[in-house]
Amino acid sequence: MDHLTATTTILRDLIAYPTVSADSNLAMIADLAGRLEDAGARVEVMGDATGTKANLWATLGPDTDGGIVLSGHTDVVPIIDQDWATDPFQMTEIDGALYGRGSCDMKGFIAACVALAPKFGTNRPVHFAFTYDEEVGCLGGQALVETLRQRGRRPAMAIIGEPTNMQIVDGHKGCCEYSTHFTGREGHGSQPDLGVNAVEYAVRYVGRLLTLKDQMVARAPANSPFTPPWTTINTGALNGGVAHNVIPGRARVDWEMRPVRQADADFIRAELALFCTDTLLPKMQVVDPTATIRTQTIGDVAGLDPTDQNAARDLVAALTGGIGTETVPFSTEAGLFQSLGIDVVVCGPGSIAQAHRPDEFVSLDQLSKCVHMLESLATRT
């Protein structure tokens, strides 16, 4: 069986695992572990505290520092309220494209890595890092990188196989996700002065987010390589209230920022904290001293900083024949691996435009290019 056929066969099996972030990924991890063990890899499954999720770390080749990490996340986004023309958890081939949830984001890359596994690791280590909960804050990636840091293990470089149309990406923004919770005092809608309307204070908080959003445009660095070149802020959801005539006692704002530099993230957090302590909370607590505002960190993932010297970028350019690099606004686990002091690049099959959408697909042409890159890598390991 040729490597592209093997990749599509494995991808069919992986898509069949409904590894939505809210659910377990253990069955898929067990499948991948078995395949890599059969290829001769030393495999470790690293469970999370709940016992329902796990990372997989596997190594082929010598047990030394250095080597190359091939990294992908196993979780996918939900299909709820999406109108699919095909079964999202059954791979369907139509006109040279493979449809299914996770086909491009990013089970296609994982399938290609596993299909090529028997060819890797003759002279230097090749590591496989397959993580959980990337879509909800890179939780598995954070845990894995921290484990590697504690163990003092340091690969030489990492290739993150997020969908880039097999273009070389050497920089992206960070991704910081938060939920800000407002607790006020419920009451009858006819007596607003006796309650603390949590939704109204949440709306004022969103107003402050919008002001900061505009300020970020003016703060864009002159040499920013990103599109757009400034730090972005997005209000994802505002939840609260139970009825038209009830003063809501609780509300929640889900929001994110994607900083182009750490100073912007620090500025936004500081401004919001000041707005809460100096403006919102005093007004809330005049009516009810127990009123609170609490911000919960869902995910706080560093960006991937472009660097002049990047061995991973140079290697992938040699493997693919790629000329030039790109930066992207979406976030990956690449910054986590870069925090270990190693060179990192993002390159994988499929288009980010297909990710998270109904009828997600990866083309056979893109998978073929990924397989070719990994075949070329195998000759160097």
Side-chain angles (χ1 to χ4, degrees):
M1 184 184 298
D2 66 84
H3 293 137
L4 180 58
T5 301
T7 296
T8 58
T9 299
I10 295 170
L11 179 56
R12 182 182 301 277
D13 293 341
L14 299 186
I15 288 173
Y17 293 109
T19 52
V20 176
S21 302
D23 302 321
S24 175
N25 73 334
L26 294 183
M28 178 173 165
I29 288 292
D31 184 326
L32 294 171
R35 294 176 191 267
L36 290 171
E37 286 173 345
D38 289 344
R42 302 181 296 280
V43 175
E44 183 176 3
V45 174
M46 305 172 178
D48 76 341
T50 71
T52 63
K53 305 284 183 72
N55 292 321
L56 185 151
W57 177 258
T59 301
L60 286 160
D63 186 18
T64 62
D65 278 344
I68 301 167
V69 178
L70 301 175
S71 177
H73 63 82
T74 62
D75 61 317
V76 297
V77 297
I79 59 169
I80 188 170
D81 295 329
Q82 291 189 341
D83 185 16
W84 282 70
T86 62
D87 185 336
F89 296 113
Q90 178 177 317
M91 191 180 81
T92 304
E93 181 176 351
I94 304 174
D95 296 331
L98 305 177
Y99 289 81
R101 175 55 86 218
S103 54
C104 81
D105 186 21
M106 53 186 302
K107 293 181 178 181
F109 179 74
I110 293 175
C113 291
V114 174
L116 269 294
K119 301 295 183 180
F120 291 134
T122 303
N123 299 311
R124 60 175 169 172
V126 173
H127 310 284
F128 302 83
F130 301 145
T131 60
Y132 64 87
D133 284 359
E134 187 271 350
E135 300 287 6
V136 290
C138 294
L139 305 183
Q142 293 183 69
L144 174 62
V145 167
E146 182 57 29
T147 297
L148 296 178
R149 183 177 288 111
Q150 291 177 0
R151 293 179 178 179
R153 301 310 297 263
R154 183 175 169 178
M157 63 186 75
I159 301 171
I160 315 300
E162 290 277 5
T164 67
N165 280 320
M166 293 304 296
Q167 300 302 303
I168 301 169
V169 170
D170 67 348
H172 64 67
K173 297 180 181 182
C175 183
C176 308
E177 298 180 341
Y178 306 99
S179 291
T180 300
H181 302 263
F182 299 79
T183 302
R185 176 192 283 178
E186 291 184 342
H188 197 283
S190 65
Q191 298 177 303
D193 55 319
L194 299 182
V196 178
N197 191 313
V199 167
E200 291 181 358
Y201 282 98
V203 168
R204 297 183 193 186
Y205 187 88
V206 171
R208 185 65 180 136
L209 285 173
L210 293 175
T211 299
L212 290 167
K213 182 177 182 178
D214 291 339
Q215 291 179 14
M216 289 301 105
V217 177
R219 287 172 60 101
N223 61 346
S224 175
F226 299 105
T227 303
W230 55 82
T231 292
T232 60
I233 299 175
N234 181 64
T235 304
L238 194 164
N239 298 284
V242 295
H244 293 77
N245 60 352
V246 176
I247 298 171
R250 295 184 183 277
R252 186 186 80 241
V253 176
D254 296 333
W255 62 280
E256 66 153 28
M257 60 176 167
R258 295 181 182 251
V260 299
R261 54 187 175 183
Q262 187 59 40
D264 285 351
D266 294 340
F267 174 78
I268 291 167
R269 283 190 286 258
E271 287 294 305
L272 289 169
L274 187 65
F275 182 60
C276 290
T277 57
D278 286 7
T279 302
L280 298 185
L281 277 171
K283 293 179 179 179
M284 297 169 71
Q285 292 178 347
V286 163
V287 179
D288 187 341
T290 66
T292 61
I293 302 174
R294 177 179 62 87
T295 294
Q296 173 189 12
T297 299
I298 305 301
D300 202 345
V301 179
L304 174 63
D305 295 328
T307 58
D308 291 337
Q309 303 297 320
N310 186 332
R313 176 194 61 210
D314 297 342
L315 172 63
V316 172
L319 297 176
T320 64
I323 300 174
T325 61
E326 300 177 0
T327 60
V328 293
F330 62 86
S331 184
T332 78
E333 295 173 329
L336 294 171
F337 286 98
Q338 190 178 53
S339 72
L340 291 173
I342 68 177
D343 291 339
V344 186
V345 71
V346 184
C347 184
S351 168
I352 195 65
Q354 292 300 321
H356 301 188
R357 295 168 58 96
D359 298 326
E360 175 184 349
F361 71 85
V362 64
S363 71
L364 284 168
D365 177 66
Q366 282 286 301
L367 273 186
S368 178
K369 290 178 179 178
C370 180
V371 166
H372 175 72
M373 177 184 75
L374 296 174
E375 287 173 337
S376 298
L377 177 63
T379 65
R380 297 169 180 247
T381 61

